[in-house]
Amino acid sequence: NMYQEDFGNMTEGTRNSSDSSSAFVHTNTMRAILVTVYSVAFAGGGIGSITMSFVLLKMNTLSVTTTAIINLVVVHSLLLFTVPFRLHYYVKKKWVFDIPFCKMVSAMVHIHMYLTFLFYVITLVIRWLIFFQWKDKVEFYRKLHAIAASAAVWLFVMVFGVPLFYFEYGRSGFYNNSTCFKFHKELQHESVKALNYVVIAAVALISCLLLGLQIFILVKVVRKFSPSLCSHQEFWAQVKNLIFIWIIIIWFLPYHLFRAYYIQHVSDFDQLESYNEVFLSLTALSCLDLLSFVLSGS
């Protein structure tokens, strides 16, 4: 009986270990891509956030654009705080922290993506208002107004965004405690699917509108200053606006377009989940924007 019990314990331990290993769906290639992407985002984003923090000390704190960039630094920093835990999971193939913390780390990538998208849109709209001479400059009257505006955005995220991810993630079905970022069973609900489709359509539509308007403005500037285009500051200002739009198109839009396919075929094969994670990881590379702004003198 003692030998049988020991053998049973050994078998159960092996089975649990096997289950834990099989629950990690990413192949070595996918794992290498995820580790590389998040490592680049962590290194470049960290340097960019620190450098931009010093640059912002010399800028006009009443400017709405400056306030948006300050919030951009904050949201990038929050994402970068969670990246080491992702890297640990992808390297070790096992989640050693609790599930509530997994939900927070998972939610932070999405919160970061949509807040970054929001701050990009705000910055572009302000620069376009100045271009069309509807406003000479867009500033808050007092620093308190800038703080209040930023607080309102973050309060909205804390009241609506965080609870949505925290309470909805992991509500459907059983999830292995040794795995993380596997909440695809929630997509079985039609309401969740509908919400995803609305977000996908909104991001795609706004991205197209931003690109179309920026092209229209560039064409207008080229026609106006065509004889000596490269010597005019306005032309280069509009070219710099393209940085924001290209980040949206290159790093954000592919994830949303792929997700439309992913939602329909999530249960077809396991590797689809890995592809979704890779596309999602690319959104973290938007953290490199601050470094690019500093290096380009923007």
Side-chain angles (χ1 to χ4, degrees):
N1 293 335
M2 181 178 67
Y3 289 127
Q4 289 178 346
E5 183 178 355
D6 290 341
F7 179 76
N9 290 337
M10 290 174 61
T11 304
E12 183 178 359
T14 303
R15 183 172 60 253
N16 290 338
S17 176
S18 176
D19 292 342
S20 174
S21 176
S22 62
F24 188 87
V25 299
H26 307 302
T27 63
N28 290 335
T29 301
M30 291 296 180
R31 189 163 62 100
I33 294 173
L34 289 168
V35 170
T36 301
V37 170
Y38 279 113
S39 296
V40 171
F42 183 73
I47 296 172
S49 296
I50 294 172
T51 308
M52 182 59 77
S53 297
F54 288 105
V55 174
L56 289 170
L57 294 175
K58 305 175 184 178
M59 296 179 67
N60 179 13
T61 55
L62 293 178
S63 168
V64 177
T65 302
T66 301
T67 302
I69 299 300
I70 291 173
N71 282 277
L72 202 58
V73 172
V74 174
V75 73
H76 284 349
S77 300
L78 290 175
L79 173 67
L80 294 175
F81 171 77
T82 65
V83 168
F85 300 101
R86 279 185 171 271
L87 292 174
H88 181 275
Y89 173 62
Y90 294 135
V91 171
K92 297 296 184 180
K93 301 182 181 181
K94 183 178 181 181
W95 184 256
V96 297
F97 310 99
D98 55 16
I99 291 299
F101 187 67
C102 168
K103 292 181 181 180
M104 189 196 79
V105 173
S106 183
M108 195 60 232
V109 178
H110 298 276
I111 292 173
H112 167 265
M113 174 171 49
Y114 293 118
L115 278 181
T116 300
F117 183 82
L118 174 63
F119 295 136
Y120 282 177
V121 172
I122 291 173
T123 303
L124 286 168
V125 169
I126 291 169
R127 292 169 70 93
W128 289 338
L129 287 175
I130 296 173
F131 171 79
F132 287 111
Q133 298 180 346
W134 291 337
K135 292 282 187 179
D136 293 333
K137 57 182 179 179
V138 182
E139 293 185 349
F140 294 103
Y141 291 107
R142 297 179 181 178
K143 289 184 179 181
L144 183 61
H145 296 165
I147 295 173
S150 299
V153 173
W154 287 102
L155 182 63
F156 179 85
V157 172
M158 295 301 295
V159 172
F160 296 100
V162 174
L164 177 66
F165 283 103
Y166 187 83
F167 293 109
E168 292 299 323
Y169 269 27
R171 194 177 67 170
S172 302
F174 173 77
Y175 293 97
N176 196 319
N177 290 331
S178 63
T179 60
C180 192
F181 318 127
K182 290 186 63 175
F183 301 108
H184 56 278
K185 294 179 183 177
E186 314 306 326
L187 293 174
Q188 296 173 354
H189 300 286
E190 292 300 323
S191 59
V192 177
K193 284 185 178 181
L195 178 61
N196 273 266
Y197 284 133
V198 169
V199 172
I200 291 168
V203 170
L205 178 61
I206 294 173
S207 300
C208 293
L209 288 175
L210 293 176
L211 180 60
L213 183 55
Q214 187 59 57
I215 292 174
F216 168 78
I217 292 173
L218 271 174
V219 171
K220 190 173 182 178
V221 170
V222 169
R223 288 178 177 177
K224 183 177 181 180
F225 302 112
S226 56
S228 55
L229 186 63
C230 295
S231 62
H232 286 274
Q233 184 179 358
E234 184 59 49
F235 170 74
W236 293 111
Q238 296 306 322
V239 170
K240 288 176 181 179
N241 284 350
L242 283 174
I243 296 178
F244 293 102
I245 298 175
W246 284 123
I247 290 174
I248 291 173
I249 293 175
I250 295 173
W251 303 132
F252 293 166
L253 197 56
Y255 166 71
H256 287 85
L257 296 179
F258 175 79
R259 189 161 181 81
Y261 175 83
Y262 172 73
I263 292 171
Q264 288 295 323
H265 303 277
V266 61
S267 302
D268 291 354
F269 55 97
D270 290 339
Q271 280 307 107
L272 200 62
E273 188 178 341
S274 292
Y275 298 149
N276 184 67
E277 280 295 311
V278 169
F279 277 103
L280 181 61
S281 70
L282 295 178
T283 66
L285 291 176
S286 62
C287 288
L288 302 177
D289 57 357
L290 298 178
L291 183 60
S292 68
F293 298 156
V294 173
L295 294 178
S296 64
S298 299

